[in-house]
Amino acid sequence: MGKLYLVPTPIGNLEDITLRALRLLKEADFIMAEDTRTTSFLLSHYEIKNHLIPFHKFNEHQHVEGYVQRIKESETAVLVSDAGTPGISDPGYLLVRHCLDNDVEVECLPGATAVIPAVVNSGFANDRFCFEGFLPQKKGRQKRLDNVKDETRTMVFYESPFRLVKTLEQFAETFGAERLVCVSRELTKMHEENFRGTMTDAIEHFKSKTVKGEIVIVVNGADD
């Protein structure tokens, strides 16, 4: 019986990868990658040559059984997403579930994720927080927000740079224009930005510029 390793990869700075992650990327029989082009760049940077297989939300249902069978036949597999930890708002859950259902051992390495740096950078309470990930783009979006409107814990959301201002405007309507927020952009990269202020402040700030990069929005919890 082989084994599945979930290996976190850097969210920006390529130095943010562990020695064990590099070793497994070298030694695995095959690597399942969300985008083989992105992962090829990382492997090339560390002079690693290995077999990459595309594994993403558009083909995971089609190929998951075959990949699990390969692992059952004593192959060691690594799953990586484009950035961060596989399974966190990225493909991974389905594969892990199928492996466990087939008594295949699964191990997730500790490593890069955008959630923790964003929460710590915000300056908001981080002893307890809730991760909401990406909101639905259309159906169910407002319902999800209404469900956490009175949440007292710090809340963490992922968002596309193209929808950032619209999302902040919706947050202002739901949570209040004076609710404190921290918007983290391009974490670990050269142009990292952590903007802190009210919802109104954040809307004005990001309306005045072209927004690029991955976005994490940290919203201060409601008063008890």
Side-chain angles (χ1 to χ4, degrees):
M1 182 75 74
K3 186 173 179 178
L4 170 67
Y5 290 93
L6 281 73
V7 174
T9 53
I11 61 174
N13 192 315
L14 293 183
E15 294 180 359
D16 295 336
I17 191 166
T18 68
L19 295 175
R20 185 155 71 114
L22 291 174
R23 177 177 61 80
L24 286 170
L25 289 170
K26 291 178 182 178
E27 296 177 355
D29 292 301
F30 64 101
I31 300 171
M32 291 168 281
E34 183 180 7
D35 187 327
T36 56
R37 295 166 299 180
T38 300
T39 303
S40 292
F41 181 79
L42 174 67
L43 297 187
S44 176
H45 180 80
Y46 285 103
E47 299 180 344
I48 296 173
K49 295 181 180 180
N50 205 333
H51 182 50
L52 290 176
I53 297 174
F55 187 79
H56 43 71
K57 64 180 181 180
F58 301 109
N59 74 354
E60 58 181 347
H61 289 274
Q62 179 182 355
H63 295 296
V64 65
E65 294 291 353
Y67 296 159
V68 171
Q69 185 59 39
R70 288 184 61 175
I71 301 171
K72 289 178 69 174
E73 294 171 356
S74 299
E75 291 192 69
T76 297
V78 162
L79 175 67
V80 296
S81 60
D82 287 351
T85 301
I88 304 298
S89 296
D90 281 318
Y93 166 77
L94 183 67
L95 179 63
V96 170
R97 187 70 263 160
H98 274 69
C99 282
L100 296 177
D101 287 344
N102 283 271
D103 297 320
V104 171
E105 188 176 0
V106 177
E107 183 175 351
C108 181
L109 274 62
T113 176
V115 178
I116 301 302
V119 171
V120 174
N121 282 338
S122 72
F124 303 150
N126 56 33
D127 54 333
R128 296 169 66 239
F129 62 88
C130 61
F131 176 66
E132 291 294 321
F134 286 101
L135 291 167
Q137 291 188 29
K138 295 180 180 179
K139 186 178 180 180
R141 184 181 179 89
Q142 188 58 51
K143 183 178 180 180
R144 279 271 298 274
L145 288 177
D146 289 340
N147 287 340
V148 296
K149 180 179 180 179
D150 299 317
E151 173 62 64
T152 58
R153 294 172 295 176
T154 297
M155 295 170 281
V156 186
F157 301 86
Y158 283 167
E159 190 50 281
S160 158
F162 309 108
R163 292 192 298 269
L164 175 59
V165 172
K166 183 178 179 180
T167 296
L168 290 172
E169 291 173 340
Q170 193 171 17
F171 281 9
E173 293 177 4
T174 304
F175 301 126
E178 296 305 307
R179 180 76 71 93
L180 294 177
V181 64
C182 178
V183 180
S184 294
R185 184 180 66 83
E186 295 281 69
L187 284 169
T188 78
K189 298 180 182 178
M190 184 180 298
H191 300 292
E192 175 176 333
E193 177 184 16
N194 295 283
F195 181 88
R196 304 169 184 86
T198 66
M199 291 291 177
T200 299
D201 294 334
I203 292 167
E204 292 178 356
H205 175 76
F206 288 105
K207 266 187 174 180
S208 67
K209 60 189 299 183
T210 300
V211 182
K212 296 181 180 180
E214 300 299 320
I215 305 292
V216 185
I217 305 173
V218 184
V219 179
N220 199 26
D223 294 334
D224 292 328

